[in-house]
Amino acid sequence: MNAEREIDQEIAEILRLSQGMSNRLRRGQGRSIRPGRNSLRRMKTGTLVREHRRQVNDDRRPNRDTVNPDVQRAAMLALAQEFNRRGLEESAAAIENQEQAQEATTHGGQQAQEVIEQAQAQDTANEDFEGTRLENLVDERVEELGGEDLPVVTERDTTALTSEELAEDLVEVDASPDAYDALAFSADINGHDPQQGFDSPHPETLEFEAITPEQLSHSDDYAM
């Protein structure tokens, strides 16, 4: 079996497990709105799998009636189309046909089943705990199976998401007026590229001159 086919089979099984296995976890930090097609196109494959599990769980919640069912179906279809765009046809079909599984047969699927079962068994775990592990597992399996030069990796869009694309996504997912206000606010601050605000160095990478207690007590620059 070639690498592309094996990756597709494993991811498809993980998606079936996500759709077939129950969820009793507390909601995690999550995200304020569902991602649209432009955002999905930029996600790593592991993140797509995590987003799929999150959407499955969201759609099963008691308050799901407050969400437009057409938007729910469109969001799942957008995920399926993104998997298909990356050459993962079986994975796309698993979503489109709402295929379910409770027991895994592939190596990656068995690992994912273990991740889900362990998370569900922990009283302190939430959906972020499970999702992070699923995400990392999928990306590691893609690398292990030689997917770096395959469409599953190379078809990911690595350019920055523009404000126009984000606005398109907001329309697609029927976002609230607050989301549009937040986008407008971000554009005012960062310009038309919403990624600009995230391009500054991580705090851990910044270097600062050490200030001694003596300097602090004698300098007006550091006076409290």
Side-chain angles (χ1 to χ4, degrees):
M1 182 186 303
N2 63 38
E4 188 169 26
R5 177 63 179 145
E6 189 170 2
I7 291 170
D8 192 14
Q9 280 191 346
E10 291 201 1
I11 292 177
E13 184 166 67
I14 294 171
L15 297 174
R16 294 186 191 103
L17 291 168
S18 290
Q19 292 171 167
M21 298 181 72
S22 61
N23 173 55
R24 56 177 291 274
L25 298 178
R26 294 179 291 106
R27 201 174 215 154
Q29 182 176 354
R31 46 34 182 164
S32 56
I33 59 173
R34 294 176 187 242
R37 285 177 172 81
N38 293 316
S39 299
L40 294 176
R41 203 167 62 243
R42 289 166 168 83
M43 290 182 179
K44 296 180 70 174
T45 305
T47 312
L48 286 174
V49 171
R50 177 178 185 170
E51 177 59 29
H52 169 264
R53 174 68 170 170
R54 180 184 287 148
Q55 290 196 22
V56 168
N57 291 338
D58 284 350
D59 292 346
R60 289 173 175 170
R61 295 187 188 283
N63 65 347
R64 65 186 181 278
D65 292 337
T66 62
V67 180
N68 186 328
D70 291 335
V71 172
Q72 292 177 329
R73 286 191 291 270
M76 277 298 185
L77 179 59
L79 271 169
Q81 291 172 340
E82 182 57 29
F83 279 109
N84 190 67
R85 194 181 70 81
R86 300 188 191 195
L88 304 175
E89 297 179 1
E90 185 176 340
S91 300
I95 296 175
E96 290 176 349
N97 300 327
Q98 299 181 333
E99 299 169 6
Q100 298 186 5
Q102 284 80 37
E103 294 290 335
T105 58
T106 67
H107 181 65
Q110 290 169 344
Q111 289 182 307
Q113 180 178 344
E114 183 177 350
V115 165
I116 294 174
E117 289 176 343
Q118 287 180 349
Q120 300 295 319
Q122 294 190 28
D123 293 335
T124 58
N126 63 17
E127 290 179 350
D128 290 340
F129 177 88
E130 178 189 80
T132 298
R133 282 152 182 78
L134 279 177
E135 179 178 348
N136 293 338
L137 163 63
V138 170
D139 287 336
E140 288 169 3
R141 285 299 292 161
V142 168
E143 183 177 357
E144 289 170 3
L145 294 171
E148 291 302 311
D149 296 323
L150 297 174
V152 63
V153 173
T154 61
E155 285 302 306
R156 176 191 173 212
D157 188 343
T158 58
T159 62
L161 185 71
T162 67
S163 293
E164 290 78 8
E165 289 174 317
L166 182 52
E168 291 173 359
D169 282 1
L170 295 180
V171 172
E172 179 184 328
V173 301
D174 194 26
S176 69
D178 288 344
Y180 289 96
D181 291 342
L183 174 60
F185 180 75
S186 175
D188 287 341
I189 296 177
N190 301 318
H192 291 289
D193 181 0
Q195 293 294 324
Q196 183 176 336
F198 301 97
D199 289 340
S200 57
H202 190 281
E204 293 178 359
T205 68
L206 298 177
E207 296 183 0
F208 299 93
E209 180 183 358
I211 304 298
T212 67
E214 290 77 13
Q215 289 174 311
L216 185 61
S217 62
H218 291 94
S219 174
D220 292 338
D221 293 338
Y222 306 106
M224 298 296 288

